[in-house]
């Protein structure tokens, strides 16, 4: 298991863009979602964030992404990360277009 300080450091490292392409993507998109931050974490950190309780792999993965979300919100509350909500339009096969708000985060 990773303690909160280690989780914060890992999340901050994952939020840093590496290269021009990622900087442009952040400028256009506004930031990374919690799931995108999770995917950018080092594999060892991801493995340490997962808390296996004998549950289904999908459930443990979802819990780990929720922990990343909580860490991001705590970092945003302290001002170390910028938090915004971005509107997007998605199309659902059975219901048509829907507008949604997505939380995005950027390193300050």
């Amino acid at each position: 298991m990773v303690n909160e300080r280690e989780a914060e450091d890992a999340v901050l490292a994952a939020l840093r863009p590496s290269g021009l392409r990622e900087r442009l993507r952040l400028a256009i998109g506004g930031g990374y979602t919690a799931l995108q931050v999770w995917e950018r974490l080092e594999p060892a950190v991801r493995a340490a964030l997962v808390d296996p309780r004998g549950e289904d792999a999908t459930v443990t993965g979802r819990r780990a992404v929720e922990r990343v979300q909580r860490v991001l919100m705590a970092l945003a509350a302290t001002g170390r990360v910028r938090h915004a909500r971005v509107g997007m339009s998605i199309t659902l096969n059975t219901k048509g277009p829907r507008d949604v708000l997505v939380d995005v985060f950027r390193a300050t």
Side-chain angles (χ1 to χ4, degrees):
M1 257 334 250
V2 174
N3 65 32
E4 288 305 309
R5 178 68 183 165
E6 292 170 339
E8 287 178 0
D9 292 341
V11 166
L12 285 171
L15 283 174
R16 288 188 202 103
S18 61
L20 180 61
R21 178 175 283 169
E22 287 189 10
R23 284 189 181 93
L24 287 172
R25 184 185 177 289
L26 282 176
I28 294 169
Y32 294 111
T33 66
L35 182 59
Q36 289 170 325
V37 172
W38 165 258
E39 292 170 349
R40 292 173 56 85
L41 289 172
E42 296 292 326
V45 174
R46 276 188 278 171
L49 283 172
V50 173
D51 182 18
R53 300 180 187 178
E55 297 173 329
D56 184 74
T58 303
V59 174
T60 57
R62 188 174 298 145
R63 287 184 195 277
V65 173
E66 288 172 356
R67 183 167 181 205
V68 169
Q69 175 82 19
R70 286 192 303 273
V71 169
L72 286 165
M73 293 302 276
L75 288 169
T78 62
R80 295 171 67 191
V81 169
R82 281 187 269 167
H83 171 238
R85 290 205 168 132
V86 177
M88 358 178 343
S89 184
I90 61 170
T91 302
L92 300 173
N93 289 340
T94 58
K95 298 182 180 181
R98 296 288 190 254
D99 292 330
V100 296
L101 286 176
V102 180
D103 291 320
V104 293
F105 302 88
R106 294 176 73 165
T108 56

